[in-house]
Amino acid sequence: MAGPVVDRARETELIEAALAGGANVVLEGPPGTGKSTLLRRVAGDLATAFVLVEGNAELTPARVVGQFDPAQVLARGYDPEIFVDGPLLTAMREGGLFYVEELNRVPEETLNTLLAVMSEREIAVPRLGVVRAAEGFAVVAAMNPFDAVGTARVSGAIYDRVCRIAMDYQSAEAEQQIVTGRAPVPSAQWGRQAVELVRATREHPDLRFGSSVRGAIDFASITHHLAKARQVPADDWFVGLDAARVALSGRVRVEESAQRSAEQIIEQLYTDIFGPPPSDESEESASESAEGSGSGEI
Ligand SMILES: Nc1ncnc2c1ncn2[C@@H]1O[C@H](COP(=O)(O)OP(=O)(O)O)[C@@H](O)[C@H]1O
Ligand SMILES: [Mg+2]
């Protein structure tokens, strides 16, 4: 799924410079800002191994470091031959990038294991011995600074061992390019409006946070498939509205004080940006010849 990376030349340069100097890197930014995409590209550019782990409560030190194959320990004892490398040791031995997504969700004891590796470039594994990282090894991590889960846990000790690169939302032009590269878009104009709508969710006073470009990609893709299923043109107004609701209503968070649901807010934004439903217009023109229709003209 690694399509071309749109923009981000500056961030790419910064990451590569930090890694070239032997630093560890953390990318901080909201979901969907291209952190994983960018780090994959950098690993590709450097032709280096890229070992990814997802930060969550189950990521124990044994999971990242590895362990002696429990089935064989009885018969063979703690023979180094039966040690199964975890992702961290794999990256260290290969001189690759050890990439941790959602760093702030990693349990404390695992963070402590990483801390030692980040500063010493080696790890002492009980009964196995010391494993030194090959040239090129680095810990790279990504986190969402607004993540409600466990954000406070990333300690100053970790921050002291990483270079931090902030990833903000892409520009509107970049988002259009990303969407066009990932999903069939009815027209360039439609693509611009779809991105405008998604960006508007990030600024809306009733929304605590809005959708990332992932929402725009799904919006376009659902529109395409729904229009096909309904056998209507790809830019059908009603198809777009349904697609916008489906793609975006779960991705935004409504402020507690707001009087409206996520779907209502998205419908309003959709009408603001894509215009009123076409039936309104035909009713209007129909009502010109009839006497006073319900909604009338304003
Ligand atoms: N600069 C970019 N170039 C190409 N695709 C991008 C870019 N930024 C984001 N995307 C696309 O948007 C989606 C989310 O990007 P991702 O890298 O997973 O974000 P993050 O890791 O920050 O949550 C993916 O489908 C990715 O392909
Ligand atoms: Mg990611």
Side-chain angles (χ1 to χ4, degrees), residues 165-277:
I165 295 168
M167 296 278 286
D168 210 342
Y169 286 112
Q170 303 86 342
S171 68
E173 295 70 31
E175 287 196 276
Q176 281 155 30
Q177 256 191 67
I178 292 167
V179 174
T180 312
R182 298 259 147 194
V185 173
S187 68
Q189 154 89 345
W190 192 96
R192 270 192 297 278
Q193 290 172 311
V195 164
E196 189 185 338
L197 168 46
V198 168
R199 294 173 72 84
T201 64
R202 298 174 202 153
E203 321 264 281
H204 198 284
D206 285 346
L207 296 178
R208 198 136 54 87
F209 58 83
S211 165
S212 74
V213 70
R214 283 197 186 94
I217 296 170
D218 280 356
F219 180 17
S221 159
I222 293 169
T223 297
H224 172 79
H225 291 288
L226 197 56
K228 263 172 89 173
R230 292 186 185 166
Q231 304 187 327
V232 294
D235 62 353
D236 180 83
W237 191 92
F238 297 96
V239 163
L241 176 59
D242 276 345
R245 283 204 193 102
V246 172
L248 305 176
S249 62
R251 286 188 156 105
V252 301
R253 263 315 147 272
V254 180
E255 289 283 5
E256 260 135 52
S257 58
Q259 304 295 313
R260 294 185 295 170
S261 69
E263 295 208 321
Q264 287 170 325
I265 294 168
I266 284 158
E267 181 165 347
Q268 175 238 312
L269 288 174
Y270 183 82
T271 325
D272 289 351
I273 290 165
F274 286 84

Side-chain angles (χ1 to χ4, degrees), residues 59-61 106-114:
L59 193 70
T60 58
V106 173
E108 182 114 45
E109 29 164 8
T110 310
L111 284 178
N112 288 336
T113 304
L114 286 180

Side-chain angles (χ1 to χ4, degrees), residues 2-296:
V5 176
V6 176
D7 263 351
R8 299 295 194 198
R10 177 173 168 272
E11 287 86 350
T12 306
E13 206 175 61
L14 293 174
I15 298 170
E16 291 184 348
L19 292 176
N24 306 296
V25 173
V26 62
L27 297 189
E28 235 180 84
T33 45
K35 301 181 291 296
S36 303
T37 305
L38 200 52
L39 286 172
R40 270 208 188 82
R41 199 243 311 251
V42 166
D45 284 357
L46 300 175
T48 192
F50 184 71
V51 185
L52 181 151
V53 298
E54 184 75 43
N56 58 47
E58 275 82 56
L59 193 70
T60 58
R63 282 248 170 103
V64 295
V65 173
Q67 57 183 346
F68 289 92
D69 180 350
Q72 297 205 53
V73 169
L74 263 181
R76 300 179 58 178
Y78 292 100
D79 178 348
E81 302 247 299
I82 62 163
F83 190 87
V84 184
D85 285 350
L88 177 63
L89 256 64
T90 302
M92 289 176 74
R93 291 194 208 270
E94 294 184 16
L97 300 184
F98 181 66
Y99 175 43
V100 189
E101 294 215 80
E102 316 288 0
L103 180 71
N104 46 299
R105 298 185 178 200
V106 173
E108 182 114 45
E109 29 164 8
T110 310
L111 284 178
N112 288 336
T113 304
L114 286 180
L115 258 183
V117 173
M118 287 161 95
S119 41
E120 310 303 328
R121 310 265 135 189
E122 63 179 34
I123 181 170
V125 184
R127 301 196 188 90
L128 180 69
V130 172
V131 176
R132 251 204 98 63
E135 186 69 29
F137 168 79
V139 176
V140 291
M143 58 186 269
N144 169 10
F146 309 112
D147 193 345
V149 183
T151 323
R153 273 211 326 270
V154 175
S155 62
I158 291 273
Y159 273 113
D160 194 35
R161 286 164 176 79
V162 294
C163 295
R164 175 181 170 279
I165 295 168
M167 296 278 286
D168 210 342
Y169 286 112
Q170 303 86 342
S171 68
E173 295 70 31
E175 287 196 276
Q176 281 155 30
Q177 256 191 67
I178 292 167
V179 174
T180 312
R182 298 259 147 194
V185 173
S187 68
Q189 154 89 345
W190 192 96
R192 270 192 297 278
Q193 290 172 311
V195 164
E196 189 185 338
L197 168 46
V198 168
R199 294 173 72 84
T201 64
R202 298 174 202 153
E203 321 264 281
H204 198 284
D206 285 346
L207 296 178
R208 198 136 54 87
F209 58 83
S211 165
S212 74
V213 70
R214 283 197 186 94
I217 296 170
D218 280 356
F219 180 17
S221 159
I222 293 169
T223 297
H224 172 79
H225 291 288
L226 197 56
K228 263 172 89 173
R230 292 186 185 166
Q231 304 187 327
V232 294
D235 62 353
D236 180 83
W237 191 92
F238 297 96
V239 163
L241 176 59
D242 276 345
R245 283 204 193 102
V246 172
L248 305 176
S249 62
R251 286 188 156 105
V252 301
R253 263 315 147 272
V254 180
E255 289 283 5
E256 260 135 52
S257 58
Q259 304 295 313
R260 294 185 295 170
S261 69
E263 295 208 321
Q264 287 170 325
I265 294 168
I266 284 158
E267 181 165 347
Q268 175 238 312
L269 288 174
Y270 183 82
T271 325
D272 289 351
I273 290 165
F274 286 84
S279 64
D280 279 10
E281 285 159 25
S282 52
E283 256 171 38
E284 241 169 59
S285 48
S287 70
E288 274 163 22
S289 48
E291 343 77 80
S293 80
S295 55

